[in-house]
Amino acid sequence: MTARYARMTNSETRIPNEAPMTKLLRASRFVIYSSFLILVSSFPPQAGAVHSKNAGPEKVDLKFKLPPPAPLSPEEAMKTFQVEKGFRIELVASEPMIESPVAMSFDDQGRLYVCEMRGYMHDLAGSTEKEPTGRVSLLEDTDGDGRMDKATAFLDKVVMPRAVMAVNGGALIAVPPQLLFCKDTDGDGVADVKEIVATDFGSFGGQPEHMANSPLWAMDNSIWSAGYSSRLKLRSGVWQKDVGLGRGQWGLCQDDHGRLYFNYNSDMLRADLLPTEAFARNPLLRNATSINTKLAADQSLYPAHPTPGVNRGYDTKTLSADGRLTRPTGTCGALIYRGDAFPVAYRGNAFVPEPAANLVKRFTMSEVDGLVKATNTAKGSEFLTSTDERFRPVNACNGPDGALYVVDMYRGIIQHQSFLTHYLIANIQARKLEQPFNMGRIWRIVPEGSTAKPVKVTKDAKLLTHANGWVRDTAQRLIVESADASAVPALKELLQNESPIAREHALWTLDGLAAITPDLVKTALTDPSEHVRAAAARVAPRDYVFNLAAEKHPLVLANLAIKTINEAALAPLLVTHGKNALIREAALTGLRGKEAAFAKTLAQTPSDGSKAVIGALAELIALAGKAGPIADMLELAANSPENRDTILKGLAKTDSKSKTVKLVWLDKEPEHLKQLKLASSLANRLVWPGKPGAPAPPVIKPLTETQTALFEKGKTIYATLCAACHQPHGFGLDGLAPPLVDSEWVLGKSEVLARIGMHGLAGPVKVSGRSYNLAMPPLPQLTDEDIAGVLTYIRREWEHTAGAVETKTVTAIREQEKSRMMMWTETELKNLGKKK
């Protein structure tokens, strides 16, 4: 983990106890972002507010010619709502107290932080999005009537803030590219402490919906975020950061067992069924079914009125005959309801905003053997709808009173200018939806007759038994933040509580205090609740020896498989349970680099389970495309007739999104190849010296002494500067950085690669057939020799055989491009490559 947080001062950013070399490289990273901010802030506003590649037909026929809707006051808007029978909706806050709210977070005292993206889309060009007009307000209900009556600008005059989370007496606030910890230390409600926690939390400018957002303190005491491939932890006042997986688009929440839920604008609910961080260990498990799992088959929408103002409204499949959105297109901010104010039947349900349809949908949730399913609860109706087109629910939240809260951005334009179609622009202009843009509301939904009051939370372990999940989460966070060992006895006592959820919280809170012992794990592994047992597996010490034969539940076995580091113990588990996808994928997370050897072990005990795992291992080896493991698996196929077809089918696997397939150069023709019936995709991929029709083998030019020194220097710089995104293994992280392994950009023309290092690359860009809409910032702090070293390293690491990059080559390119101030685009670089 890379520890520490940085305190902003007038002169520098400091990190305590930092080695000089680390300080230098960390300072270099800071220069990257500083330069990046200067660079992009100088760009002119986008001239055309139209999606650059998919703007739809230019000739627009407004089939549904509705009159311009009038902006409504909160009182008028209240009359447009229809909420499910037995509930009522109440106003919590509105303009002018708040404007353009996009996120909210209650602190332990019931105060409400509201993130206001006040610069968002004042016009079709988004011309005000680089202006420091954003703020985070701190709202208070001073008279206890449930409505906020006091607002303080906690953090003001920032550019496009897009996330807030109460923590440690203050709040984490996303002001891309920075994630800040802000705190008021003198009691005036204004942040006087601003500390940098991360400098890669999105980018300055760009598309808000595709950047990091929604930090969440989860049950595992990690802070996860949507669209961000790192997780954070706060321990004894020190921020720690390590890898996770990027997931989701806008919004992140958890259920009572800490599973993470998220969505994409056209898919209302997904989840990670197993610990997210485990899958970062094996980047080739991109298509695993245990993470990023689609939960809802039926996502039909039932708006209360025609909704023609959607981006693809010209497509007959998007709108119904009467102009209503039928499928999600702007889904965001999903919530698993964990409060105690709603009837029991609603607890654990998912509530998902769809601002383009002016509604909030409800799904009921079910679970069987660790697999979760979301069911559309109603046909023809929704939990909450409005006939007001400016009702834009963008986030749903649990509250300290057990109610459900809805963040309403309240505006006409909700689509960002980068994705506008001609059709939507015509609707916006015809129906005068550009203004006003300075409104916004927070709504609360409670059962009829409810008199629930907010709970002020302390670090009292007894609150882990509370019926309201928000209260339990907050109490756990306060205890872990305090690092107070005096709480340990009470937490151990809670492990005997009658509530399994309280026992689960107690176990994780002990883990957050570093108070887990082997004896506690041993006891928890016999708990009646499978979720407590699964948590026990997760918090167990790394060297803990599990009795795998004693467990039967698939969810627990999957978590045990993740934590079992002894392959000899893991093999019998998979022989029996390898057909179960959860268990199989869990085991595969820890087998990177050991696939062929483990397959040989499993082959000694034939079963349906071992065959399923051997096939999966063969697929991973095929995707990696390395000669040694492929040769080993071909040998196993020849010697294991019962697994032969499975192995060969797995080895024939290719990345469906890649247009090119890498040849695999073997030292010689495999001895048993003639007895194996290979699929053409595999047979054509395998080449060796002397194979008829094979191209000449690649000529690997040895590095000179000078080039070897460059390689070693680049290796050091890569590990400190580049590996956080592209990863030490070079496969990158989905949602954060594309792979470098076998990348056509890395192995192509070195002069193109050098330009990316100097000036950066603005997405979208295709790498190995996959599209990445990301920005690679320029690296102005690196010398020509530094850049040559890094490029030489990535062109010769991971079995790459491309030539070294000379320092003089980089120097010459720098001179050629000395007047350039903008990042490169894919088109520019490809055209440049053709010229060169």
Side-chain angles (χ1 to χ4, degrees), residues 393-410:
V394 295
N395 249 314
C397 304
N398 289 300
D401 53 358
L404 187 156
Y405 286 75
V406 176
V407 179
D408 175 9
M409 204 174 180
Y410 202 84

Side-chain angles (χ1 to χ4, degrees), residues 72-81 88-95 98 101 104 106 112 146-147 360 384 386 388 390-397 399 401 403-410 440-446:
L72 303 181
S73 68
E75 292 72 25
E76 292 170 325
M78 187 87 72
K79 299 175 184 178
T80 70
F81 288 122
R88 70 173 188 270
I89 188 166
E90 303 172 342
L91 183 67
V92 177
S94 67
E95 71 282 347
I98 56 172
M104 58 173 273
F106 282 103
L112 182 60
R147 188 161 176 174
V360 175
L384 174 67
S386 173
D388 181 2
R390 286 183 171 82
F391 171 57
R392 303 296 193 182
V394 295
N395 249 314
C397 304
D401 53 358
L404 187 156
Y405 286 75
V406 176
V407 179
D408 175 9
M409 204 174 180
Y410 202 84
R441 292 92 193 252
I442 305 290
W443 304 97
R444 173 176 50 235
I445 301 174
V446 294

Side-chain angles (χ1 to χ4, degrees), residues 217-438:
W217 185 297
M219 182 177 270
D220 66 355
N221 302 304
S222 297
I223 297 172
W224 296 94
S225 302
Y228 189 55
S229 295
S230 298
R231 60 171 175 166
L232 302 167
K233 290 186 178 182
L234 179 62
R235 297 293 182 271
S236 300
V238 176
W239 292 101
Q240 301 172 336
K241 179 180 177 183
D242 68 359
V243 298
L245 282 180
R247 101 284 294 136
Q249 191 163 335
W250 187 275
L252 186 69
C253 65
Q254 67 175 342
D255 64 13
D256 278 340
H257 309 295
R259 282 179 294 219
L260 300 176
Y261 292 77
F262 43 91
N263 50 29
Y264 301 89
N265 54 23
S266 58
D267 193 339
M268 302 196 85
L269 198 62
R270 293 197 173 213
D272 289 343
L273 304 181
L274 292 177
T276 306
E277 67 276 12
F279 287 81
R281 303 186 301 181
N282 197 336
L284 294 177
L285 276 171
R286 289 173 175 165
N287 299 316
T289 59
S290 306
I291 55 170
N292 198 25
T293 305
K294 184 171 183 175
L295 302 181
D298 179 7
Q299 301 189 26
S300 304
L301 299 178
Y302 306 101
H305 69 127
T307 55
V310 295
N311 223 19
R312 308 289 167 205
Y314 56 83
D315 188 336
T316 56
K317 297 178 182 178
T318 300
L319 299 176
S320 64
D322 61 353
R324 303 180 194 225
L325 189 64
T326 60
R327 299 282 296 174
T329 186
T331 293
C332 51
L335 174 73
I336 300 297
Y337 176 74
R338 301 172 58 224
D340 58 347
F342 283 22
V344 172
Y346 290 80
R347 298 178 192 179
N349 287 189
F351 293 84
V352 188
E354 175 35 290
N358 318 118
L359 60 81
V360 175
K361 175 175 282 293
R362 178 170 75 95
F363 292 100
T364 57
M365 308 299 292
S366 58
E367 178 183 351
V368 178
D369 291 340
L371 301 178
V372 178
K373 179 182 177 181
T375 302
N376 202 342
T377 58
K379 299 292 184 182
S381 64
E382 301 288 357
F383 179 74
L384 174 67
T385 60
S386 173
T387 55
D388 181 2
E389 190 168 359
R390 286 183 171 82
F391 171 57
R392 303 296 193 182
V394 295
N395 249 314
C397 304
N398 289 300
D401 53 358
L404 187 156
Y405 286 75
V406 176
V407 179
D408 175 9
M409 204 174 180
Y410 202 84
R411 52 174 33 247
I413 301 179
I414 196 72
Q415 180 67 67
H416 191 254
Q417 55 96 0
S418 301
F419 294 103
L420 289 171
T421 60
H422 295 291
Y423 171 86
L424 183 52
I425 289 173
N427 266 278
I428 290 169
Q429 292 174 332
R431 301 176 48 240
K432 306 185 188 312
L433 294 174
E434 286 184 81
Q435 295 187 9
F437 46 72
N438 60 351

Side-chain angles (χ1 to χ4, degrees), residues 435-731:
Q435 295 187 9
F437 46 72
N438 60 351
M439 303 173 80
R441 292 92 193 252
I442 305 290
W443 304 97
R444 173 176 50 235
I445 301 174
V446 294
E448 290 284 6
S450 173
T451 58
K453 296 293 183 182
V455 176
K456 291 188 177 182
V457 183
T458 64
K459 57 185 184 71
D460 183 354
K462 292 179 181 178
L463 289 175
L464 298 179
T465 67
H466 202 282
N468 184 350
W470 181 91
V471 173
R472 297 194 304 272
D473 292 349
T474 305
Q476 177 178 325
R477 173 175 63 79
L478 293 177
I479 296 169
V480 174
E481 285 175 353
S482 73
D484 186 358
S486 67
V488 170
L491 292 169
K492 289 182 177 180
E493 185 177 338
L494 276 180
L495 292 176
Q496 307 302 318
N497 191 272
E498 64 181 3
S499 165
I501 293 178
R503 299 196 299 272
E504 199 172 348
H505 272 285
L507 197 62
W508 279 113
T509 309
L510 285 164
D511 182 63
L513 295 175
I516 290 292
T517 65
D519 286 342
L520 289 177
V521 172
K522 183 178 180 180
T523 300
L525 285 171
T526 63
D527 193 280
S529 166
E530 68 271 18
H531 291 288
V532 175
R533 299 198 304 277
R538 293 182 63 186
V539 303
R542 178 173 173 76
D543 58 352
Y544 191 89
V545 179
F546 298 103
N547 179 8
L548 300 180
E551 182 57 60
K552 304 299 180 185
H553 197 282
L555 178 65
V556 185
L557 287 171
N559 281 276
L560 291 172
I562 289 171
K563 289 297 290 284
T564 300
I565 60 177
N566 183 341
E567 284 94 24
L570 190 61
L573 171 68
L574 295 174
V575 168
T576 304
H577 298 286
K579 288 189 69 176
N580 184 288
L582 278 183
I583 299 171
R584 181 175 64 251
E585 291 175 357
L588 292 174
T589 64
L591 292 173
R592 175 169 161 70
K594 309 172 187 175
E595 294 92 347
F598 193 73
K600 290 181 180 180
T601 299
L602 286 179
Q604 296 173 17
T605 312
S607 73
D608 290 342
S610 59
K611 181 178 290 188
V613 177
I614 289 171
L617 291 167
E619 287 189 15
L620 293 178
I621 288 172
L623 291 173
K626 303 306 178 186
I630 288 178
D632 289 342
M633 289 299 283
L634 289 172
E635 180 182 355
L636 179 61
N639 296 328
S640 179
E642 62 272 22
N643 291 304
R644 183 174 299 161
D645 291 344
T646 298
I647 292 172
L648 296 180
K649 181 179 179 181
L651 290 178
K653 181 78 172 181
T654 58
D655 188 339
S656 61
K657 295 185 179 181
S658 178
K659 294 182 179 180
T660 60
V661 178
K662 176 188 174 185
L663 294 179
V664 177
W665 276 94
L666 305 175
D667 292 336
K668 60 181 181 179
E669 181 179 5
E671 294 181 10
H672 306 286
L673 192 61
K674 292 181 181 179
Q675 71 184 76
L676 301 177
K677 188 177 180 180
L678 305 187
S680 60
S681 60
L682 176 58
N684 295 336
R685 190 181 185 192
L686 300 178
V687 288
W688 54 86
K691 180 182 180 180
V699 178
I700 305 174
K701 187 176 180 180
L703 297 180
T704 66
E705 184 177 344
T706 300
Q707 291 169 342
T708 300
L710 272 178
F711 177 93
E712 293 300 329
K713 183 173 188 176
K715 182 177 183 179
T716 300
I717 296 173
Y718 180 89
T720 311
L721 189 62
C722 313
C725 295
H726 292 288
Q727 296 296 293
H729 47 60
F731 282 98

